[in-house]
Amino acid sequence: MRKINRKFFVLFAVLLVALAAYFAWDSFPKKTSSIAYAEFWQAVENGQVTSVKFDGASIFFQKQTSEETFKTENPQSPVLAEELMRRGISVTITKSGEEIFSLIFDLIFYIFFFAIIIIAFRKFISPNSFRVVHKTGVKFSDIVGMDKLKRDMQQVMEIMKNPAEYAKRGIRMPKGILLEGEPGNGKTLFARALAGEAKVNFIPAKATDFESMFMAIGPMKVKLLFKKARRCAPCIVFIDEFDGIGTVRNYSGSAIETENTRIVTALLNELDGFEESRGVLVIAATNSIKALDPALIRPGRFDAKLTVPYPDQEARVKLIEMYTRGKNPASECQPNKLSELFKGFSCAKIESVLNKAALIASQSGHQEFTLEDVKAAITEA
């Protein structure tokens, strides 16, 4: 990078010196004799003028009988140059310093303008837009509950690791899996754990990654994502907030709806272009399958639709035991007792309530949080 900067600096310095030399040379006084314009025109009519140079407010010319350069005033006539050329005289028209500076300024402006466009464009569709995680560091043992989901995914994991072997038996891996569930129930954690358990690459994305102030950037990002996934196979592509880009297509004609339609169409094309033996699995997380375009969720695209439920009684107990470590709960705050209060709570909400209860106790000057602190935290949640 330093070598490139040094070369650019040297090139820029040479250009400045060349421009300075050009204008300095052009500004050196030349040996000329000034004559009246009428005398100049008389010489033209007599065929004595061999060359003429228009330079701003002056005309420089040479005669056949002399090596000296003559100078006269330029009348700024729009037909003078044409008339001289008709008479066989060599005509040169030089640009003034102001015109040259104006051209240089325009050139710099256009270079700067297009550089900004290119940089912005590269930023929006940069290959680094989607990061490949080679090791998620999460396994199924790190997830509390979801036992049925874990069992359902065991076979998928085996197919991902050995796609060619299963293809010989006529078994293909699902192209896509939809995880539906309320926010905070662990859809993202489950997808990361699946990649970690299968020991495959993981590419996380979310709906906002495909949004852009420029039209057609969204579909291009979809193609970029799946191109990278194929290159990194076996791989899991996880798209969070899927209902943000996969909603039912609306042909109202508005710019937003048109862009959304293009993104959905790009997704359909990429899913249809999958080869069963390539080892790429798409997992999409959504809060509502009903909001998604029917073409996306038909069999053959997203083959499996799994629900990530609220934690059950056993899972809530384990979550409470995990989230109360280091928080000093009072003896009355037994996990079994608290789990009844947390019925219908998501994993994230349970953690938030317990953290709030510890905070309330700390604000009251207590070392331990009580059942009343938990109830107060539930009320404020």
Side-chain angles (χ1 to χ4, degrees), residues 156-296:
V156 175
M157 287 165 44
E158 291 300 320
I159 300 175
M160 283 195 68
K161 289 189 282 188
N162 305 289
E165 181 180 334
Y166 280 87
K168 292 177 182 177
R169 290 185 269 167
I171 301 173
R172 69 169 179 83
M173 185 181 68
K175 291 182 180 180
I177 296 175
L178 272 175
L179 294 179
E180 182 183 30
E182 294 300 318
N185 270 352
K187 297 185 291 295
T188 302
L189 184 64
F190 179 78
R192 294 177 67 87
L194 177 60
E197 200 74 33
K199 296 180 181 179
V200 298
N201 293 318
F202 182 74
I203 304 180
K206 52 186 181 297
T208 52
D209 291 335
F210 302 94
E211 295 176 355
S212 173
M213 61 187 293
F214 298 110
M215 292 289 288
I217 293 295
M220 290 181 68
K221 285 190 173 183
V222 171
K223 295 178 182 178
L224 179 67
L225 171 62
F226 285 93
K227 182 179 179 181
K228 178 174 283 190
R230 291 185 180 94
R231 192 167 59 245
C232 298
C235 175
I236 289 178
V237 175
F238 176 68
I239 305 176
D240 200 7
E241 305 164 359
F242 193 55
D243 43 292
I245 58 171
T247 52
V248 178
R249 284 171 287 182
N250 187 331
Y251 299 95
S252 63
S254 68
I256 295 176
E257 293 298 343
T258 300
E259 182 72 353
N260 178 72
T261 298
R262 288 175 177 172
I263 291 174
V264 173
T265 303
L267 282 168
L268 295 174
N269 291 337
E270 293 297 334
L271 290 171
D272 288 341
F274 273 4
E275 296 177 18
E276 288 81 356
S277 60
R278 291 301 296 270
V280 177
L281 174 65
V282 182
I283 299 180
T286 178
N287 299 331
S288 175
I289 290 181
K290 294 180 180 179
L292 299 176
D293 193 286
L296 272 176

Side-chain angles (χ1 to χ4, degrees), residues 325-344:
R325 290 172 191 164
K327 286 188 170 64
N328 299 324
S331 57
E332 62 182 2
C333 295
Q334 295 298 316
N336 288 326
K337 195 170 186 178
L338 291 179
S339 66
E340 293 297 328
L341 296 176
F342 294 155
K343 189 174 183 180

